[in-house]
Amino acid sequence: MALFTLVVLALVGAALGAAPHHRAPAHYRPAPAYHPAPAYGHHAPKYEHEYCDPTAAPACNANSTLTYCLEDDEYPTYEIKGAISADQLFAKKYADVADQSADDLVDMVTKAQEEAFDYSYYTGASTGDSPYDVTHWAGPEGYICPSDVVYATPKRAQNVEGKWRIIVNDVHYYSQTARLETCLFPEAACRALAPCYQSHCTQKSVYHRLLSFDPCDPYKGLFIDIYKLPSACSCHIPA
């Protein structure tokens, strides 16, 4: 029995010796098994961040010297609706008197009177020998300084820092109305005053606080911003 065991061990040892073991060199590292990239049929998407300049005038302001837009073909209605829905304090930020007119905002002038004012006859300055032609002395009822009055809901405006913002207007029945009065002939002589007064019409403005949205940073949500808008065209007489 002992002899049989020795024979078996000898045969096993011979078999092991017949198959030499090759050791990998110490510096060997197996290459990772990468899977081939799938053929999607198109290039991988590139994510590029485009710089947004808040001081750049929007398309609605092209070829205009105004600091606001009453119409805006690119108004982001969907984004504004989302911002309103996500703002839990919206009801506390929002306030407006939508039905504004001269009946409420102009003393001793009615809405019908103000809407009937017509300055189409007025030239602002004479082309003749005198700076005061007949249109300076005559004409129908109106302000001493001809102006354009509109009760508007601006869609975009430039804030006091020179940055363009979107104004919350005509979205979910929410509006922010402003009375805008702009001089038709700024620096022209005040109507019906004699030349000796050396009068001139001057534009006046007021600051409006309006609920706004930043198109360059929509994650800011809705906030109150300040805008300088035309409010009156007044006659000034120098000392």
Side-chain angles (χ1 to χ4, degrees):
M1 185 65 180
L3 178 61
F4 176 77
T5 302
L6 291 174
V7 173
V8 172
L9 292 175
L11 290 175
V12 173
L16 292 174
H21 178 67
H22 297 283
R23 289 187 177 182
H27 64 274
Y28 172 77
R29 294 291 185 274
Y34 291 112
H35 296 286
Y40 291 110
H42 61 271
H43 298 289
K46 293 183 179 180
Y47 299 97
E48 298 180 356
H49 176 71
E50 295 184 1
Y51 172 71
C52 180
D53 183 3
T55 63
C60 65
N61 189 248
N63 304 318
S64 174
T65 58
L66 299 177
T67 59
Y68 57 89
C69 295
L70 299 183
E71 300 295 336
D72 184 6
D73 293 335
E74 299 179 349
Y75 191 83
T77 303
Y78 180 81
E79 288 81 357
I80 299 300
K81 287 183 178 180
I84 292 175
S85 300
D87 193 338
Q88 298 180 355
L89 298 178
F90 178 78
K92 296 183 178 181
K93 297 178 183 178
Y94 170 78
D96 185 36
V97 178
D99 187 17
Q100 298 184 23
S101 71
D103 290 340
D104 308 305
L105 300 178
V106 183
D107 290 344
M108 296 180 290
V109 176
T110 66
K111 175 182 178 181
Q113 284 178 299
E114 186 176 64
E115 291 178 347
F117 290 166
D118 180 12
Y119 302 105
S120 60
Y121 69 94
Y122 194 67
T123 62
S126 174
T127 57
D129 296 334
S130 171
Y132 303 95
D133 61 12
V134 66
T135 65
H136 180 81
W137 304 104
E141 179 185 17
Y143 295 122
I144 193 171
C145 280
S147 62
D148 176 54
V149 178
V150 59
Y151 295 85
T153 53
K155 299 299 179 61
R156 293 191 193 231
Q158 191 176 39
N159 69 7
V160 293
E161 296 178 346
K163 298 177 181 179
W164 283 88
R165 306 297 196 205
I166 295 169
I167 310 300
V168 176
N169 256 320
D170 299 330
V171 178
H172 278 324
Y173 305 102
Y174 295 114
S175 63
Q176 297 182 94
T177 310
R179 183 185 187 277
L180 308 179
E181 181 175 351
T182 308
C183 288
L184 291 176
F185 304 98
E187 301 303 320
C190 303
R191 191 165 65 102
L193 286 186
C196 61
Y197 289 106
Q198 298 181 343
S199 64
H200 63 269
C201 295
T202 183
Q203 180 69 58
K204 287 185 176 181
S205 302
V206 296
Y207 290 120
H208 281 269
R209 293 167 54 85
L210 299 172
L211 193 58
S212 310
F213 181 82
D214 187 352
C216 288
D217 190 0
Y219 293 103
K220 291 168 65 175
L222 300 177
F223 55 92
I224 302 296
D225 213 338
I226 303 175
Y227 305 88
K228 181 181 177 182
L229 298 175
S231 64
C233 186
S234 297
C235 178
H236 176 255
I237 298 178

